[in-house]
Amino acid sequence: LLSSSAPADEAHRLAMLADLTNQATFDRLSSFGSMEGWQCIDIGAGDGSVARWLAARVGFQGRVVASDLELDRLAPCAGVERRRFDLVDDELESEAYDLIHARSVLLHVADPEAALKKMAAGLRAGGVLVVEDADLTTFEACDPDHPHRAEFEACMQRFTASMVAAGVHTKLGPRLPALVSSLGLVDVDCAARLLILRGGSAGAMLWKRNIANALGDVAAPALDDPSFWFASTLRVQVWGRAASSDPLGREKI
Ligand SMILES: C[S@@+](CC[C@H](N)C(=O)[O-])C[C@H]1O[C@@H](n2cnc3c(N)ncnc32)[C@H](O)[C@@H]1O
């Protein structure tokens, strides 16, 4: 629903999404320490920017798979293996990865719980699962008296309703901590960030494009206006580790 039918347009939209979200992803992934030698997969890799970042960290002994339903937006890159992979219908190798990452993907699949179980089963002992998704219902003008407020918020309600009708899990982000906790992983934790954006900014242009793809150019007056600040999505990151055991069989957490 959010995507554009024109390939160049969609590639640009994915690059804008990556620009808005990559730093928080890189900060989170960096918190797990050295990735030298890690086997990694980014599921629903989009433009491949996270996979390229990982490839620079895993070294020659490591491996990075960038997987997606659509491979044409993933430019070839040294150290990144491109794979067509459907998180819903395809099998993932079991106990194969030190890192499995999926950002802004689970909210598009019909059964996120089944997809999470598949990802958890793909972790090696000690491997890390990192999933990131948004709450898409948090759009609100920061200034209740701004002249664009009513029009903008009505438009965002229509936008959210159109996504729900299309099967998007618009409130998945805040559900992820409990869903990941139920997978039997250890050290499960989460972080969340409400993105406040300004009309005319790169983030606002991404939403202008998303909304235009779904509803037409209805939110342009607010999203083009630098005096208009708004709460956009609440972005939630959740991570957990597959338990590892020592040679004596004791659990190491
Ligand atoms: C919103 S984009 C996010 C791209 C990237 N992860 C990012 O955050 O920049 C969602 C991506 O998930 C992919 N996708 C959607 N359903 C999928 C599925 N069932 N299996 C694998 N990828 C899927 C889409 O093709 C798209 O590239």
Side-chain angles (χ1 to χ4, degrees):
L1 180 72
L2 299 177
S3 53
S4 164
S5 51
D9 214 40
E10 181 57 6
H12 187 220
R13 193 186 73 84
L14 287 173
M16 290 166 94
L17 173 65
D19 281 349
L20 197 62
T21 51
N22 271 351
Q23 194 54 54
T25 297
F26 299 161
D27 290 348
R28 177 59 47 207
L29 296 177
S30 298
S31 76
F32 302 116
S34 169
M35 293 183 167
E36 195 74 32
W38 279 26
Q39 310 289 303
C40 308
I41 183 166
D42 191 23
I43 295 177
D47 75 344
S49 50
V50 172
R52 289 193 293 277
W53 183 89
L54 287 168
R57 274 148 193 89
V58 298
F60 291 116
Q61 303 294 325
R63 173 180 174 231
V64 176
V65 179
S67 71
D68 205 293
L69 284 178
E70 319 245 357
L71 287 189
D72 35 335
R73 296 177 308 234
L74 272 168
C77 168
V80 175
E81 181 184 324
R82 298 187 308 158
R83 185 196 299 177
R84 197 201 166 277
F85 173 76
D86 182 343
L87 180 56
V88 177
D89 288 333
D90 294 336
E91 293 300 316
L92 186 63
E93 311 94 300
S94 56
E95 300 185 28
Y97 293 100
D98 301 293
L99 173 71
I100 299 180
H101 174 258
R103 185 179 71 194
S104 304
V105 181
L106 285 169
L107 82 174
H108 295 291
V109 306
D111 186 348
E113 291 181 64
L116 280 166
K117 281 185 190 150
K118 187 182 287 190
M119 287 193 266
L123 292 174
R124 287 174 160 181
V128 183
L129 173 68
V130 183
V131 285
E132 308 183 62
D133 260 302
D135 183 336
L136 300 172
T137 66
T138 51
F139 285 87
E140 197 174 63
C142 294
D143 175 1
D145 298 323
H146 196 285
H148 290 314
R149 181 190 68 82
E151 182 195 5
F152 173 74
E153 290 178 2
C155 164
M156 294 318 294
Q157 278 174 14
R158 278 178 54 211
F159 176 67
T160 308
S162 70
M163 283 194 292
V164 170
V168 176
H169 302 281
T170 53
K171 290 187 78 67
L172 184 65
R175 288 183 53 216
L176 284 178
L179 292 178
V180 172
S181 293
S182 69
L183 296 172
L185 303 178
V186 298
D187 300 338
V188 174
D189 209 344
C190 64
R193 198 166 61 111
L194 179 65
L195 295 187
I196 293 186
L197 301 173
R198 178 180 202 170
S201 66
M205 292 306 102
L206 171 65
W207 283 106
K208 184 176 161 184
R209 183 176 291 230
N210 285 342
I211 294 159
N213 288 342
L215 303 178
D217 229 2
V218 287
L223 293 174
D224 282 337
D225 180 350
S227 77
F228 184 71
W229 289 80
F230 62 101
S232 65
T233 53
L234 178 71
R235 299 207 54 90
V236 182
Q237 299 177 319
V238 187
W239 57 95
R241 195 180 283 278
S244 48
S245 37
D246 71 12
L248 298 175
R250 293 170 305 195
E251 251 197 355
K252 192 172 80 185
I253 295 179

